[in-house]
Amino acid sequence: MILATALVVGALAVYVFDFARHRPETIAIGTGDGVVKVRMQTVAQLGYGPKADWVSYLIERPDGEWAHSTIFQVPAHSTVEFTILQYDNATPPRNPFWGQVIGTEGDVIEVDGESTKVLDPTKEVAHTFTMPNFGVYVPLAAVGNDAKNQCQVAPCTEDQAHRTIKFRIETGEPGTYRFQCIIPCAAGFAQGWGGPMQTIGYMDGLMEVV
Amino acid sequence: MREQPLGSTDPHPSDARRHARRLAWACIGITLISAPLAFWVLGPGLPPGTESFQDDNQVWVNRVILAFVLPIYLGICAAFIYSFFAFRDRGRAAGDAVPVADDPRVQRWWIVASAAVVVFLWAFGTYEWIWAGVGSGGGQGPVPLVRPDGETLEVQVIGQQWHFTYRYPSYGGMESPELILPQDRQIEMHVTSLDVVHSFWAVELGAKADAVPGFDNILYLEPLDPGAFEIKCAELCGLWHGQMYATGRILSPSEFDDWASDHRRATAQITGFLPDYAHVYFPQPEYRGS
C-alpha cells in the first residue's frame, strides 16, 4: 500500500515537473555571410496537435525544416535579417498605432519587395512582430480574404497565398527579449486575447541574444 | 531593586513610579536621538525619489511621518525589552500575579497623546495632499479634488497587453511608444486601457494610477531634472506582465520641443488612422480574431 502510494505520488510529481519545465525548442541561428537570417511564418491555425485551431508563429531551423517554436537564438552585436511569411487575413488592432514601423534599420520594412513605414491598420494588418523591450514594432501585412489557395495546415508553403515581410535589426548586447503579436487575434477568446496570445510557442516568444 | 513577591496583592507604588520614570527617560532619549536621525539622516533617502515636484513632496511627507512613528516604535520596543529584564522570573514559587489597578492619569495621557499624534498626521497628510499645490490626482478618477496651479500639458497613457503608449493631444494627437516629458512643466496624465486592468507606475516620479478600460484616471506630475525614469505595470495583467516595463525620459524644454516636432512629423501618416483624441476608447469589434 505504501509502495503504491509512493509510486502514484512520484509519478504525479514527475508529470507536474515535466509540465512546468516544458518549453518549445530553441532554434539557434548562426551567421552566414555576416548577416544572421531568421525566417518565420505566421499561420491562421496550426492545423495539428492539441491546439490545432490556434494561430501561431513558426521558425525555420537552419536545416530548412519549420519548427513549431517561438524561441530563437541569434549572436550579439550582429545584423539580423528577418523574413516573415505571413499567411493570415486581416485583424484590425485595438490600437491603430501598431500600423507604424519603429525600430528596424531605417524604420522601414519591405512588404513583397516594396519599402514602407506604415500599413493601413484598418485593413492591411494581420499580426505584428513586436519586441517592446527592444524597441522594435513591425506590422505584418495581411492576405486578402478572397485570395486563392489559402493555407489551412502549418507549415505553409511559399506557393500558398502569403505576404513576405523583410526587415533588419542590430542585436547589440546579450540578453533575452520577448516578442509578441500585439493584435488580439485569438479567435474564439474574449476580445481575442486568450489562448495563443498568452502562450509561448504560439503568438509569444523569446529572442535570445547570446 | 526591591523585589515584588509573586502572589502578593500589595504592589509597591514606589517601584511602579521608578519603572515608569526609567521608561519615560528612555523614551525621551530615544526620541531625541531617533527623530532627528529619521528626519535628517534616513529621510532624504526615502522613496520614491526627487525627480518630480510630486515625489519630492512625497519624500517630505514620508520624512515627517517617519520622524513621528520611529520614536513611538522604538519606545514600544524599549518598553518590551525593559519589561523582559525587569520583570523576569527570578525562580521563586509561582502564584497569582499582581492585579492591574486602574490609573486614570495614565489612561488620560495615553489617549490624549495617541489622539494628538494621529490627528496631527491626518491633518498634515491632508494639507500636503490638498493644499500644498501638488495636485490631488493620484489616479482616483476623472475629477481630481484639486488641480495644481498653472497650465498643464496633457499626456494620455494607454495600456494594453503588454505595452503602454502615450498620446499628446497638444501635438495633433500624436502617439508614441516611449514616454517623453518636458522638464519644469506641470503634466496632467490621463490613464486608461484598451483591454484589461493595468497600473501605470512611473517609479522615480512618484506617479501611479490604474489603467482601466472605459475609465479615465488623472494624475499630476512635474518633472524637475532631465534624466531617465522607470515605468512598470503594477497590476497583474497576463503572460508578459513581469516584462511590461520601460524607460521614460525627461528632456529640457527645447529638447522636448525638438523631439515632439520630429516625432509628430515621423508619425503623421499613422496619426491619420488614430481615433479622435478622447479620454476613453471602446475599440470595435469587441471580439477579435478571424
Side-chain angles (χ1 to χ4, degrees), chain A residues 88 92-100 102 120-121 132-133 137 178 180 182 184-185 187 190-191 193 197-198 200 204-206, chain B residues 158 160-163 165 175-177 194-195 238-240 243-245 266-267 269-270 273-275 283 285-290:
Chain A
D88 202 0
R94 291 183 77 77
N95 185 346
F97 182 71
W98 302 123
Q100 175 79 39
I102 299 174
D120 179 348
N133 303 127
Y137 308 85
R178 53 129 172 168
Q180 65 168 106
I182 208 161
C185 55
Q191 297 192 6
W193 269 116
M197 300 303 300
Q198 307 278 343
I200 293 175
D204 300 281
L206 298 169
Chain B
I158 304 171
Q160 75 169 91
Q161 289 178 320
W162 293 271
H163 202 307
T165 57
E175 188 161 342
S176 166
L194 297 181
D195 41 44
L239 177 69
W240 293 124
Q243 295 273 320
M244 198 171 164
Y245 56 81
T267 57
Q269 194 179 348
I270 198 68
F273 289 107
L274 300 183
E286 186 81 355
Y287 281 79
R288 300 282 162 145
S290 56

Short mmCIF file of all heavy atoms in Angstrom, two decimals, chain A residues 88 92-100 102 120-121 132-133 137 178 180 182 184-185 187 190-191 193 197-198 200 204-206, chain B residues 158 160-163 165 175-177 194-195 238-240 243-245 266-267 269-270 273-275 283 285-290:
data_model
loop_
_atom_site.label_atom_id
_atom_site.label_comp_id
_atom_site.label_asym_id
_atom_site.label_seq_id
_atom_site.Cartn_x
_atom_site.Cartn_y
_atom_site.Cartn_z
N ASP A 88 -2.01 34.85 -42.82
CA ASP A 88 -3.34 35.07 -42.22
C ASP A 88 -4.02 36.29 -42.84
O ASP A 88 -3.38 37.15 -43.44
CB ASP A 88 -3.18 35.25 -40.70
CG ASP A 88 -4.46 34.96 -39.93
OD1 ASP A 88 -5.48 34.63 -40.57
OD2 ASP A 88 -4.43 35.06 -38.69
N PRO A 92 -8.01 43.99 -37.44
CA PRO A 92 -7.60 45.35 -37.04
C PRO A 92 -7.12 45.39 -35.60
O PRO A 92 -7.72 44.78 -34.72
CB PRO A 92 -8.90 46.16 -37.21
CG PRO A 92 -9.99 45.16 -37.18
CD PRO A 92 -9.44 43.88 -37.71
N PRO A 93 -6.01 46.09 -35.35
CA PRO A 93 -5.52 46.21 -33.97
C PRO A 93 -6.47 47.07 -33.14
O PRO A 93 -7.16 47.94 -33.67
CB PRO A 93 -4.16 46.90 -34.12
CG PRO A 93 -4.21 47.56 -35.45
CD PRO A 93 -5.16 46.80 -36.31
N ARG A 94 -6.51 46.80 -31.83
CA ARG A 94 -7.32 47.67 -30.96
C ARG A 94 -6.75 49.07 -30.96
O ARG A 94 -7.46 50.05 -30.77
CB ARG A 94 -7.36 47.11 -29.54
CG ARG A 94 -8.15 45.83 -29.42
CD ARG A 94 -8.24 45.34 -27.99
NE ARG A 94 -9.21 46.07 -27.19
CZ ARG A 94 -10.52 45.89 -27.25
NH1 ARG A 94 -11.03 45.01 -28.08
NH2 ARG A 94 -11.34 46.58 -26.49
N ASN A 95 -5.42 49.18 -31.11
CA ASN A 95 -4.79 50.49 -31.20
C ASN A 95 -4.21 50.63 -32.62
O ASN A 95 -3.23 49.96 -32.95
CB ASN A 95 -3.67 50.61 -30.16
CG ASN A 95 -3.06 51.99 -30.15
OD1 ASN A 95 -3.27 52.79 -31.06
ND2 ASN A 95 -2.29 52.28 -29.10
N PRO A 96 -4.79 51.49 -33.44
CA PRO A 96 -4.32 51.60 -34.83
C PRO A 96 -2.86 52.03 -34.95
O PRO A 96 -2.26 51.91 -36.02
CB PRO A 96 -5.25 52.68 -35.42
CG PRO A 96 -6.43 52.72 -34.52
CD PRO A 96 -5.93 52.36 -33.15
N PHE A 97 -2.29 52.53 -33.85
CA PHE A 97 -0.90 52.97 -33.90
C PHE A 97 0.03 51.85 -34.33
O PHE A 97 1.12 52.10 -34.85
CB PHE A 97 -0.48 53.50 -32.52
CG PHE A 97 0.93 54.02 -32.48
CD1 PHE A 97 1.25 55.21 -33.11
CD2 PHE A 97 1.92 53.33 -31.81
CE1 PHE A 97 2.55 55.69 -33.09
CE2 PHE A 97 3.22 53.81 -31.78
CZ PHE A 97 3.54 54.99 -32.42
N TRP A 98 -0.37 50.59 -34.13
CA TRP A 98 0.51 49.47 -34.45
C TRP A 98 0.65 49.24 -35.95
O TRP A 98 1.31 48.30 -36.37
CB TRP A 98 0.06 48.21 -33.73
CG TRP A 98 0.03 48.40 -32.25
CD1 TRP A 98 -1.02 48.22 -31.43
CD2 TRP A 98 1.11 48.85 -31.41
NE1 TRP A 98 -0.68 48.53 -30.12
CE2 TRP A 98 0.62 48.92 -30.09
CE3 TRP A 98 2.45 49.20 -31.65
CZ2 TRP A 98 1.41 49.33 -29.01
CZ3 TRP A 98 3.22 49.61 -30.57
CH2 TRP A 98 2.70 49.67 -29.28
N GLY A 99 0.08 50.09 -36.76
CA GLY A 99 0.37 50.05 -38.20
C GLY A 99 1.70 50.72 -38.52
O GLY A 99 2.19 50.65 -39.65
N GLN A 100 2.30 51.37 -37.53
CA GLN A 100 3.56 52.11 -37.72
C GLN A 100 4.77 51.19 -37.53
O GLN A 100 4.79 50.37 -36.62
CB GLN A 100 3.63 53.24 -36.69
CG GLN A 100 4.91 54.04 -36.68
CD GLN A 100 4.97 55.08 -37.80
OE1 GLN A 100 3.98 55.71 -38.12
NE2 GLN A 100 6.14 55.23 -38.41
N ILE A 102 8.57 50.84 -36.36
CA ILE A 102 9.54 51.54 -35.50
C ILE A 102 10.65 50.57 -35.12
O ILE A 102 10.39 49.40 -34.84
CB ILE A 102 8.88 52.07 -34.21
CG1 ILE A 102 7.77 53.07 -34.52
CG2 ILE A 102 9.90 52.73 -33.29
CD1 ILE A 102 6.98 53.53 -33.31
N ASP A 120 -1.85 50.34 -43.47
CA ASP A 120 -3.19 50.78 -43.07
C ASP A 120 -3.74 49.79 -42.03
O ASP A 120 -4.02 48.63 -42.35
CB ASP A 120 -4.09 50.80 -44.31
CG ASP A 120 -5.52 51.22 -43.97
OD1 ASP A 120 -5.86 51.27 -42.76
OD2 ASP A 120 -6.29 51.49 -44.90
N PRO A 121 -3.88 50.26 -40.77
CA PRO A 121 -4.28 49.32 -39.72
C PRO A 121 -5.72 48.85 -39.84
O PRO A 121 -6.11 47.86 -39.23
CB PRO A 121 -4.07 50.13 -38.43
CG PRO A 121 -4.16 51.55 -38.86
CD PRO A 121 -3.67 51.62 -40.27
N PRO A 132 8.77 44.97 -27.40
CA PRO A 132 8.73 46.25 -26.69
C PRO A 132 10.03 46.61 -25.97
O PRO A 132 10.45 47.76 -25.98
CB PRO A 132 7.59 46.06 -25.69
CG PRO A 132 6.73 45.01 -26.29
CD PRO A 132 7.67 44.08 -27.00
N ASN A 133 10.68 45.62 -25.34
CA ASN A 133 11.90 45.94 -24.60
C ASN A 133 13.11 46.09 -25.51
O ASN A 133 14.20 46.41 -25.04
CB ASN A 133 12.16 44.86 -23.54
CG ASN A 133 10.99 44.72 -22.59
OD1 ASN A 133 10.47 43.63 -22.39
ND2 ASN A 133 10.52 45.84 -22.05
N TYR A 137 8.87 47.47 -33.52
CA TYR A 137 7.43 47.35 -33.74
C TYR A 137 7.21 47.19 -35.24
O TYR A 137 7.43 48.12 -36.00
CB TYR A 137 6.70 48.59 -33.24
CG TYR A 137 7.06 48.97 -31.81
CD1 TYR A 137 8.19 49.75 -31.53
CD2 TYR A 137 6.28 48.53 -30.74
CE1 TYR A 137 8.52 50.08 -30.23
CE2 TYR A 137 6.61 48.86 -29.44
CZ TYR A 137 7.73 49.63 -29.19
OH TYR A 137 8.06 49.95 -27.90
N ARG A 178 11.57 39.44 -25.12
CA ARG A 178 10.31 38.80 -25.51
C ARG A 178 9.78 39.45 -26.78
O ARG A 178 10.02 40.62 -27.05
CB ARG A 178 9.29 38.97 -24.39
CG ARG A 178 9.10 40.41 -23.95
CD ARG A 178 7.69 40.84 -23.93
NE ARG A 178 7.55 42.15 -23.33
CZ ARG A 178 6.43 42.87 -23.40
NH1 ARG A 178 5.39 42.42 -24.05
NH2 ARG A 178 6.36 44.06 -22.84
N GLN A 180 6.01 39.46 -29.20
CA GLN A 180 4.59 39.11 -29.17
C GLN A 180 3.90 39.69 -30.38
O GLN A 180 4.41 40.59 -31.03
CB GLN A 180 3.92 39.67 -27.91
CG GLN A 180 3.89 41.20 -27.88
CD GLN A 180 2.98 41.77 -26.80
OE1 GLN A 180 3.43 42.27 -25.80
NE2 GLN A 180 1.68 41.70 -27.05
N ILE A 182 0.85 41.98 -31.03
CA ILE A 182 0.13 42.90 -30.14
C ILE A 182 -1.30 43.14 -30.62
O ILE A 182 -2.02 43.96 -30.07
CB ILE A 182 0.92 44.22 -29.99
CG1 ILE A 182 0.62 44.87 -28.63
CG2 ILE A 182 0.64 45.18 -31.15
CD1 ILE A 182 1.64 45.88 -28.20
N PRO A 184 -4.98 41.53 -30.92
CA PRO A 184 -5.76 40.44 -30.33
C PRO A 184 -6.37 39.55 -31.41
O PRO A 184 -7.46 39.81 -31.89
CB PRO A 184 -6.82 41.16 -29.51
CG PRO A 184 -6.94 42.51 -30.12
CD PRO A 184 -5.61 42.84 -30.71
N CYS A 185 -5.66 38.49 -31.77
CA CYS A 185 -6.04 37.70 -32.93
C CYS A 185 -6.43 36.27 -32.58
O CYS A 185 -6.46 35.40 -33.44
CB CYS A 185 -4.89 37.68 -33.94
SG CYS A 185 -3.34 37.09 -33.23
N ALA A 187 -8.89 33.83 -32.19
CA ALA A 187 -10.30 33.61 -32.49
C ALA A 187 -10.95 32.76 -31.41
O ALA A 187 -10.37 31.78 -30.94
CB ALA A 187 -10.44 32.93 -33.85
N ALA A 190 -12.33 35.81 -25.52
CA ALA A 190 -12.88 37.13 -25.22
C ALA A 190 -11.92 38.22 -25.67
O ALA A 190 -10.74 38.21 -25.30
CB ALA A 190 -13.15 37.26 -23.72
N GLN A 191 -12.41 39.12 -26.47
CA GLN A 191 -11.62 40.21 -27.03
C GLN A 191 -10.38 39.73 -27.77
O GLN A 191 -9.46 40.51 -28.02
CB GLN A 191 -11.23 41.21 -25.93
CG GLN A 191 -12.45 41.87 -25.30
CD GLN A 191 -12.10 43.06 -24.44
OE1 GLN A 191 -10.95 43.49 -24.38
NE2 GLN A 191 -13.07 43.61 -23.79
N TRP A 193 -8.00 37.84 -26.76
CA TRP A 193 -6.75 37.93 -26.01
C TRP A 193 -6.37 36.67 -25.24
O TRP A 193 -5.43 36.69 -24.49
CB TRP A 193 -6.81 39.10 -25.01
CG TRP A 193 -6.30 40.36 -25.60
CD1 TRP A 193 -7.00 41.50 -25.82
CD2 TRP A 193 -4.97 40.62 -26.05
NE1 TRP A 193 -6.20 42.44 -26.38
CE2 TRP A 193 -4.94 41.93 -26.54
CE3 TRP A 193 -3.80 39.87 -26.10
CZ2 TRP A 193 -3.81 42.51 -27.07
CZ3 TRP A 193 -2.67 40.44 -26.64
CH2 TRP A 193 -2.67 41.75 -27.11
N MET A 197 -2.59 33.94 -27.54
CA MET A 197 -1.99 35.25 -27.24
C MET A 197 -1.28 35.24 -25.89
O MET A 197 -0.52 36.15 -25.58
CB MET A 197 -3.08 36.35 -27.21
CG MET A 197 -3.83 36.52 -28.52
SD MET A 197 -2.75 36.88 -29.90
CE MET A 197 -2.00 38.38 -29.36
N GLN A 198 -1.56 34.22 -25.08
CA GLN A 198 -0.98 34.15 -23.74
C GLN A 198 -0.02 32.97 -23.62
O GLN A 198 0.28 32.55 -22.49
CB GLN A 198 -2.10 34.01 -22.69
CG GLN A 198 -3.19 35.05 -22.77
CD GLN A 198 -2.83 36.35 -22.10
OE1 GLN A 198 -1.90 36.41 -21.31
NE2 GLN A 198 -3.55 37.41 -22.41
N ILE A 200 3.61 31.05 -24.85
CA ILE A 200 4.87 30.98 -25.59
C ILE A 200 4.83 29.73 -26.46
O ILE A 200 4.43 28.66 -26.01
CB ILE A 200 6.06 30.93 -24.61
CG1 ILE A 200 6.16 32.26 -23.86
CG2 ILE A 200 7.36 30.65 -25.34
CD1 ILE A 200 7.21 32.29 -22.77
N ASP A 204 3.52 34.35 -28.72
CA ASP A 204 4.52 34.97 -27.85
C ASP A 204 5.81 34.16 -27.95
O ASP A 204 5.75 32.93 -28.11
CB ASP A 204 4.07 34.97 -26.39
CG ASP A 204 2.77 35.73 -26.20
OD1 ASP A 204 2.83 36.97 -26.14
OD2 ASP A 204 1.72 35.08 -26.11
N GLY A 205 6.94 34.84 -27.84
CA GLY A 205 8.19 34.10 -27.92
C GLY A 205 9.35 34.89 -27.34
O GLY A 205 9.17 35.96 -26.74
N LEU A 206 10.54 34.33 -27.52
CA LEU A 206 11.74 34.93 -26.97
C LEU A 206 12.84 34.99 -28.02
O LEU A 206 13.05 34.00 -28.75
CB LEU A 206 12.25 34.10 -25.78
CG LEU A 206 11.33 33.98 -24.58
CD1 LEU A 206 11.85 32.92 -23.62
CD2 LEU A 206 11.21 35.33 -23.87
N ILE B 158 -2.02 54.97 -22.46
CA ILE B 158 -2.94 53.92 -22.93
C ILE B 158 -2.29 52.57 -22.66
O ILE B 158 -1.23 52.27 -23.22
CB ILE B 158 -3.24 54.07 -24.43
CG1 ILE B 158 -3.81 55.47 -24.72
CG2 ILE B 158 -4.22 53.00 -24.90
CD1 ILE B 158 -3.94 55.79 -26.20
N GLN B 160 -2.21 48.45 -22.87
CA GLN B 160 -2.75 47.26 -23.49
C GLN B 160 -1.74 46.15 -23.31
O GLN B 160 -0.56 46.40 -23.01
CB GLN B 160 -3.11 47.48 -24.95
CG GLN B 160 -1.98 47.56 -25.94
CD GLN B 160 -2.50 47.50 -27.38
OE1 GLN B 160 -2.76 48.52 -27.98
NE2 GLN B 160 -2.64 46.30 -27.91
N GLN B 161 -2.20 44.91 -23.43
CA GLN B 161 -1.30 43.78 -23.19
C GLN B 161 -0.21 43.78 -24.26
O GLN B 161 -0.52 43.53 -25.44
CB GLN B 161 -2.06 42.48 -23.20
CG GLN B 161 -2.97 42.32 -21.97
CD GLN B 161 -3.76 41.05 -22.01
OE1 GLN B 161 -4.24 40.64 -23.05
NE2 GLN B 161 -3.93 40.42 -20.88
N TRP B 162 1.05 44.01 -24.01
CA TRP B 162 1.67 44.36 -22.77
C TRP B 162 2.60 45.52 -23.06
O TRP B 162 3.81 45.38 -23.10
CB TRP B 162 2.45 43.17 -22.20
CG TRP B 162 1.53 42.05 -21.78
CD1 TRP B 162 0.95 41.91 -20.55
CD2 TRP B 162 1.09 40.93 -22.55
NE1 TRP B 162 0.16 40.75 -20.52
CE2 TRP B 162 0.24 40.15 -21.74
CE3 TRP B 162 1.31 40.52 -23.88
CZ2 TRP B 162 -0.38 38.98 -22.19
CZ3 TRP B 162 0.69 39.37 -24.33
CH2 TRP B 162 -0.15 38.61 -23.46
N HIS B 163 1.99 46.67 -23.21
CA HIS B 163 2.75 47.86 -23.57
C HIS B 163 1.91 49.09 -23.24
O HIS B 163 0.71 49.10 -23.47
CB HIS B 163 3.05 47.85 -25.07
CG HIS B 163 4.22 48.70 -25.47
ND1 HIS B 163 4.32 50.02 -25.13
CD2 HIS B 163 5.32 48.42 -26.18
CE1 HIS B 163 5.45 50.51 -25.61
NE2 HIS B 163 6.08 49.55 -26.25
N THR B 165 1.37 52.99 -24.34
CA THR B 165 1.71 54.02 -25.32
C THR B 165 1.16 55.35 -24.80
O THR B 165 0.36 55.38 -23.85
CB THR B 165 1.13 53.72 -26.71
OG1 THR B 165 -0.30 53.58 -26.59
CG2 THR B 165 1.73 52.46 -27.30
N GLU B 175 0.95 59.83 -31.21
CA GLU B 175 1.13 58.75 -30.22
C GLU B 175 2.58 58.30 -30.26
O GLU B 175 3.23 58.33 -31.32
CB GLU B 175 0.19 57.59 -30.54
CG GLU B 175 0.16 56.53 -29.47
CD GLU B 175 -1.09 55.65 -29.58
OE1 GLU B 175 -2.05 56.06 -30.24
OE2 GLU B 175 -1.08 54.55 -29.00
N SER B 176 3.08 57.85 -29.10
CA SER B 176 4.47 57.41 -29.02
C SER B 176 4.54 56.15 -28.17
O SER B 176 3.83 56.04 -27.16
CB SER B 176 5.33 58.51 -28.40
OG SER B 176 6.60 58.00 -28.02
N PRO B 177 5.42 55.20 -28.54
CA PRO B 177 5.60 54.04 -27.66
C PRO B 177 6.52 54.34 -26.49
O PRO B 177 6.72 53.49 -25.63
CB PRO B 177 6.23 53.01 -28.60
CG PRO B 177 6.95 53.81 -29.62
CD PRO B 177 6.20 55.09 -29.78
N LEU B 194 -7.04 49.64 -23.04
CA LEU B 194 -7.84 49.13 -24.16
C LEU B 194 -8.30 47.70 -23.93
O LEU B 194 -9.08 47.17 -24.72
CB LEU B 194 -7.03 49.18 -25.46
CG LEU B 194 -6.59 50.55 -25.95
CD1 LEU B 194 -5.82 50.41 -27.25
CD2 LEU B 194 -7.79 51.46 -26.14
N ASP B 195 -7.76 47.02 -22.92
CA ASP B 195 -8.18 45.62 -22.74
C ASP B 195 -8.44 45.30 -21.27
O ASP B 195 -9.54 45.45 -20.79
CB ASP B 195 -7.16 44.65 -23.38
CG ASP B 195 -5.72 45.04 -23.13
OD1 ASP B 195 -5.38 45.41 -21.99
OD2 ASP B 195 -4.91 44.97 -24.07
N GLY B 238 -1.44 39.40 -17.14
CA GLY B 238 -1.30 38.37 -18.17
C GLY B 238 0.13 37.89 -18.30
O GLY B 238 1.00 38.19 -17.47
N LEU B 239 0.37 37.14 -19.39
CA LEU B 239 1.65 36.44 -19.57
C LEU B 239 2.87 37.32 -19.38
O LEU B 239 3.80 36.98 -18.67
CB LEU B 239 1.67 35.82 -20.98
CG LEU B 239 2.97 35.11 -21.38
CD1 LEU B 239 3.14 33.85 -20.58
CD2 LEU B 239 2.98 34.81 -22.87
N TRP B 240 2.90 38.48 -20.03
CA TRP B 240 4.10 39.32 -20.01
C TRP B 240 3.99 40.47 -19.02
O TRP B 240 4.68 41.48 -19.19
CB TRP B 240 4.40 39.87 -21.41
CG TRP B 240 4.80 38.85 -22.42
CD1 TRP B 240 4.19 38.63 -23.63
CD2 TRP B 240 5.92 37.94 -22.39
NE1 TRP B 240 4.83 37.64 -24.32
CE2 TRP B 240 5.90 37.19 -23.59
CE3 TRP B 240 6.92 37.67 -21.45
CZ2 TRP B 240 6.84 36.21 -23.88
CZ3 TRP B 240 7.85 36.69 -21.74
CH2 TRP B 240 7.80 35.97 -22.93
N GLN B 243 7.19 41.59 -17.72
CA GLN B 243 8.07 42.22 -18.72
C GLN B 243 7.50 43.56 -19.18
O GLN B 243 8.03 44.16 -20.11
CB GLN B 243 8.18 41.30 -19.94
CG GLN B 243 8.87 39.98 -19.65
CD GLN B 243 10.37 40.08 -19.79
OE1 GLN B 243 10.86 40.74 -20.69
NE2 GLN B 243 11.09 39.45 -18.90
N MET B 244 6.41 44.00 -18.56
CA MET B 244 5.77 45.23 -19.02
C MET B 244 6.43 46.42 -18.33
O MET B 244 5.84 47.07 -17.46
CB MET B 244 4.27 45.18 -18.75
CG MET B 244 3.46 46.19 -19.54
SD MET B 244 1.71 45.88 -19.36
CE MET B 244 1.05 47.44 -19.95
N TYR B 245 7.68 46.66 -18.69
CA TYR B 245 8.40 47.80 -18.13
C TYR B 245 9.09 48.56 -19.26
O TYR B 245 9.25 48.04 -20.36
CB TYR B 245 9.45 47.33 -17.10
CG TYR B 245 10.44 46.33 -17.64
CD1 TYR B 245 11.54 46.73 -18.39
CD2 TYR B 245 10.26 44.98 -17.40
CE1 TYR B 245 12.44 45.81 -18.89
CE2 TYR B 245 11.15 44.05 -17.90
CZ TYR B 245 12.24 44.47 -18.65
OH TYR B 245 13.13 43.56 -19.15
N ALA B 266 7.28 62.32 -38.08
CA ALA B 266 7.56 60.92 -38.42
C ALA B 266 6.31 60.04 -38.33
O ALA B 266 6.23 59.00 -39.00
CB ALA B 266 8.65 60.36 -37.50
N THR B 267 5.36 60.43 -37.47
CA THR B 267 4.18 59.58 -37.28
C THR B 267 2.91 60.22 -37.86
O THR B 267 1.80 59.79 -37.54
CB THR B 267 3.95 59.29 -35.78
OG1 THR B 267 3.83 60.54 -35.08
CG2 THR B 267 5.10 58.48 -35.19
N GLN B 269 1.54 60.05 -40.73
CA GLN B 269 0.68 59.17 -41.52
C GLN B 269 -0.18 58.28 -40.63
O GLN B 269 -1.39 58.15 -40.84
CB GLN B 269 1.54 58.31 -42.46
CG GLN B 269 0.74 57.64 -43.55
CD GLN B 269 1.63 56.82 -44.48
OE1 GLN B 269 2.85 56.92 -44.44
NE2 GLN B 269 1.00 55.99 -45.30
N ILE B 270 0.45 57.67 -39.60
CA ILE B 270 -0.33 56.76 -38.75
C ILE B 270 -1.29 57.55 -37.86
O ILE B 270 -2.37 57.05 -37.51
CB ILE B 270 0.60 55.87 -37.89
CG1 ILE B 270 -0.18 54.65 -37.36
CG2 ILE B 270 1.22 56.61 -36.74
CD1 ILE B 270 -0.59 53.67 -38.38
N PHE B 273 -4.76 57.60 -38.91
CA PHE B 273 -5.59 56.42 -38.68
C PHE B 273 -6.10 56.33 -37.24
O PHE B 273 -6.95 55.50 -36.93
CB PHE B 273 -4.80 55.14 -38.98
CG PHE B 273 -4.54 54.93 -40.45
CD1 PHE B 273 -3.26 55.13 -40.97
CD2 PHE B 273 -5.55 54.54 -41.31
CE1 PHE B 273 -3.00 54.93 -42.30
CE2 PHE B 273 -5.30 54.34 -42.66
CZ PHE B 273 -4.02 54.53 -43.16
N LEU B 274 -5.54 57.14 -36.33
CA LEU B 274 -5.92 57.03 -34.92
C LEU B 274 -7.32 57.60 -34.72
O LEU B 274 -7.74 58.51 -35.43
CB LEU B 274 -4.93 57.79 -34.04
CG LEU B 274 -3.46 57.34 -34.09
CD1 LEU B 274 -2.63 58.16 -33.10
CD2 LEU B 274 -3.34 55.86 -33.78
N PRO B 275 -8.05 57.08 -33.74
CA PRO B 275 -9.35 57.70 -33.42
C PRO B 275 -9.12 59.10 -32.88
O PRO B 275 -8.04 59.42 -32.39
CB PRO B 275 -9.93 56.77 -32.35
CG PRO B 275 -8.75 56.08 -31.75
CD PRO B 275 -7.72 55.97 -32.83
N PRO B 283 -12.70 50.26 -28.59
CA PRO B 283 -12.43 49.74 -29.93
C PRO B 283 -13.43 48.65 -30.30
O PRO B 283 -13.81 47.85 -29.46
CB PRO B 283 -11.03 49.16 -29.81
CG PRO B 283 -10.45 49.72 -28.58
CD PRO B 283 -11.62 49.98 -27.66
N PRO B 285 -14.32 45.60 -33.46
CA PRO B 285 -15.34 44.82 -32.75
C PRO B 285 -14.81 44.34 -31.40
O PRO B 285 -13.61 44.26 -31.18
CB PRO B 285 -15.57 43.64 -33.69
CG PRO B 285 -14.26 43.48 -34.39
CD PRO B 285 -13.70 44.84 -34.54
N GLU B 286 -15.75 43.99 -30.53
CA GLU B 286 -15.38 43.52 -29.20
C GLU B 286 -14.63 42.20 -29.29
O GLU B 286 -13.69 41.95 -28.56
CB GLU B 286 -16.66 43.35 -28.36
CG GLU B 286 -16.39 43.01 -26.91
CD GLU B 286 -16.03 44.23 -26.07
OE1 GLU B 286 -15.89 45.34 -26.62
OE2 GLU B 286 -15.90 44.06 -24.88
N TYR B 287 -15.07 41.34 -30.19
CA TYR B 287 -14.42 40.04 -30.36
C TYR B 287 -13.52 40.10 -31.58
O TYR B 287 -13.89 40.62 -32.63
CB TYR B 287 -15.45 38.92 -30.50
CG TYR B 287 -16.00 38.54 -29.17
CD1 TYR B 287 -16.99 39.32 -28.57
CD2 TYR B 287 -15.52 37.44 -28.48
CE1 TYR B 287 -17.48 39.00 -27.32
CE2 TYR B 287 -16.02 37.11 -27.23
CZ TYR B 287 -17.00 37.89 -26.66
OH TYR B 287 -17.48 37.58 -25.42
N ARG B 288 -12.33 39.55 -31.42
CA ARG B 288 -11.31 39.64 -32.45
C ARG B 288 -11.00 38.28 -33.03
O ARG B 288 -11.57 37.27 -32.66
CB ARG B 288 -10.05 40.25 -31.85
CG ARG B 288 -10.28 41.64 -31.30
CD ARG B 288 -10.31 42.62 -32.40
NE ARG B 288 -10.93 43.87 -31.98
CZ ARG B 288 -10.55 45.04 -32.41
NH1 ARG B 288 -9.55 45.16 -33.24
NH2 ARG B 288 -11.18 46.13 -32.05
N GLY B 289 -10.01 38.27 -33.86
CA GLY B 289 -9.60 37.01 -34.49
C GLY B 289 -10.41 36.77 -35.75
O GLY B 289 -11.41 37.44 -36.01
N SER B 290 -9.92 35.85 -36.53
CA SER B 290 -10.64 35.61 -37.79
C SER B 290 -10.75 34.11 -38.01
O SER B 290 -10.19 33.33 -37.27
CB SER B 290 -9.89 36.26 -38.95
OG SER B 290 -8.56 35.77 -38.99
#
